[in-house]
Amino acid sequence: LVSQPLPTDDLSVIGTLICGYSGVQKLGNRIATSHDHSVPTNIWWINCGPTGVSKSAVKQKLIDLPAAGLRQKLRTMHADAVDEWRANNKGVKKDDRSPAPKPWFLHLSDYTPEALCLQLQVQESKGLALLASRDEWSGILNALESDSKIGRGTGIAQMLEMFDGCASIAVRVDGGVRQFEQCLVSFYGNIQPVKLREHINGQDVVGQFARFQFNQLLLQPLELSYLDPSEEERQAYLDAKAVLASYAELLHDLEPHTTEITQEARKHLVEWFRPRQEQALLP
């Protein structure tokens, strides 16, 4: 009901929706492919399509709206924490005040590498995952390329390390120590195929683009209707949106755990992975 007019098939809908959900989960969720190896349950998903196929509507309906209630809940919680901090520090000298509470998020749309490092400290303290979501993914890629040329040059390396949820310890002259032991970061974006080719430019030496799932949206006219919906259709649509939001809340409330895949699943994974790795290692 929600995705019917969108340029999506089942894979596009499920991949996009689960990517949005990955940002609302608790930190610590992992999938184990063996007794000694596990990976965080993050998803790096990019929808590709030319201008005019309503990529923005896909993001709005399947990424933004299901988590809207949770985002507002966290915003209110932070505002309450700030009010409590102000009350506790009323009349206290500035140098003696406790640090003001920093906001925490489920989704964010823009960041700098330095700010993200600080934010992942906050996310870890709250036990939360994080989704970086951008309608124009080319903007994030441009920022990373600019950071490599005229900034600190840490943006791409940071992105690569976040894929496996690695710990990070950084020391800055102005900001002290920035440290977190684990993170759970997902990415979502929309991009035009021409822009994607420009960014990849025939090579991916560090494996930045290999970490993303690039999904081609359907190249077909949108299924639009000029008819007025009935009251039953309006209500069915509202109910469907509420179902998607309820799953976001359910996932957010689940305690973190590690899911171990079965031997049958490992056999399937190994048989799929081995020939593809051999091909990738060819000159």
Side-chain angles (χ1 to χ4, degrees):
L1 284 170
V2 172
S3 65
Q4 184 270 331
L6 302 176
T8 51
D9 55 7
D10 291 347
L11 177 63
S12 300
V13 169
I14 294 172
T16 302
L17 185 65
I18 292 180
C19 185
Y21 283 156
S22 69
V24 308
Q25 63 183 314
K26 296 289 175 53
L27 178 63
N29 280 323
R30 301 181 71 87
I31 294 179
T33 55
S34 65
H35 73 281
D36 60 350
H37 180 68
S38 66
V39 294
T41 52
N42 56 357
I43 302 178
W44 294 18
W45 187 271
I46 305 295
N47 279 328
C48 306
T51 300
V53 298
S54 291
K55 298 188 296 297
S56 298
V58 175
K59 176 181 178 295
Q60 180 187 25
K61 292 189 175 186
L62 299 178
I63 296 287
D64 298 337
L65 288 180
L70 283 173
R71 291 198 305 273
Q72 182 58 44
K73 178 182 178 181
L74 264 62
R75 184 177 180 180
T76 301
M77 290 172 62
H78 176 250
D80 292 342
V82 171
D83 290 341
E84 182 179 356
W85 173 81
R86 286 173 176 165
N88 292 338
N89 287 274
K90 188 175 182 180
V92 179
K93 293 181 179 180
K94 185 176 181 179
D95 293 340
D96 297 331
R97 293 175 186 172
S98 59
K102 293 181 173 61
W104 56 98
F105 308 101
L106 302 176
H107 295 176
L108 59 81
S109 58
D110 196 13
Y111 69 89
T112 64
E114 293 79 13
L116 183 58
C117 188
L118 290 172
Q119 186 59 45
L120 291 178
Q121 288 185 168
V122 179
Q123 298 297 116
E124 184 181 48
S125 70
K126 298 295 182 180
L128 294 175
L130 184 66
L131 170 67
S133 172
R134 190 74 180 266
D135 192 14
E136 290 293 340
W137 187 246
S138 182
I140 292 288
L141 296 177
N142 286 335
L144 290 172
E145 291 170 5
S146 177
D147 176 71
S148 296
K149 295 175 182 177
I150 61 176
R152 293 184 184 271
T154 60
I156 292 180
Q158 179 191 56
M159 173 179 280
L160 297 176
E161 292 165 359
M162 287 189 299
F163 186 73
D164 293 318
C166 296
S168 175
I169 303 175
V171 179
R172 297 287 185 267
V173 173
D174 57 345
V177 177
R178 303 170 185 179
Q179 177 179 358
F180 55 87
E181 291 302 312
Q182 61 174 327
C183 64
L184 206 173
V185 181
S186 294
F187 287 95
Y188 174 84
N190 295 323
I191 198 168
Q192 301 171 23
V194 173
K195 287 289 186 181
L196 181 58
R197 292 190 195 98
E198 291 177 358
H199 286 291
I200 297 179
N201 196 25
Q203 60 182 355
D204 185 20
V205 177
V206 297
Q208 173 187 356
F209 295 100
R211 285 161 165 77
F212 287 92
Q213 303 294 321
F214 291 99
N215 174 64
Q216 177 68 61
L217 294 176
L218 297 181
L219 298 178
Q220 65 183 32
L222 302 179
E223 296 184 27
L224 304 177
S225 174
Y226 62 87
L227 299 174
D228 289 334
S230 65
E231 287 303 316
E232 291 77 10
E233 289 172 329
R234 290 179 185 271
Q235 188 59 49
Y237 178 72
L238 293 176
D239 292 343
K241 290 201 301 181
V243 168
L244 298 186
S246 70
Y247 275 110
E249 294 178 3
L250 175 64
L251 290 167
H252 182 67
D253 292 338
L254 285 178
E255 290 301 314
H257 65 282
T258 297
T259 301
E260 296 185 11
I261 66 174
T262 64
Q263 179 173 300
E264 181 182 5
R266 284 198 303 273
K267 180 176 183 293
H268 175 79
L269 179 63
V270 170
E271 292 176 350
W272 172 87
F273 178 72
R274 180 76 183 187
R276 282 159 180 79
Q277 188 183 36
E278 291 175 346
Q279 183 180 14
L281 293 175
L282 292 174

